[in-house]
Amino acid sequence: MNVLVVLIPVSLVLGGLGLAAFLWSLKVRQYDDLDGAAWRILIDETPPDEVPRDQ
């Protein structure tokens, strides 16, 4: 029973840290562009007219 005196505050602190990290990620807009990274990987970085030719 004495272990609960330690485990309950530790769990509350860890839960608070998780909540603080989640709120920080919302504040710095981590979830604003969820599809952008998936689309950017499919797009070539150089346009086709700038590709060097072997001539």
Side-chain angles (χ1 to χ4, degrees):
M1 211 52 181
N2 290 337
V3 73
L4 289 178
V5 174
V6 174
L7 289 180
I8 290 175
V10 168
S11 66
L12 289 175
V13 167
L14 290 177
L17 287 174
L19 180 63
F22 176 71
L23 292 175
W24 172 80
S25 69
L26 287 178
K27 184 179 178 183
V28 296
R29 309 177 118 200
Q30 291 287 317
Y31 302 108
D32 282 355
D33 188 18
L34 296 177
D35 294 331
W39 283 105
R40 280 190 296 273
I41 199 168
L42 298 174
I43 298 171
D44 287 335
E45 292 186 15
T46 57
D49 56 353
E50 294 181 9
V51 174
R53 298 180 185 200
D54 294 336
Q55 296 179 2

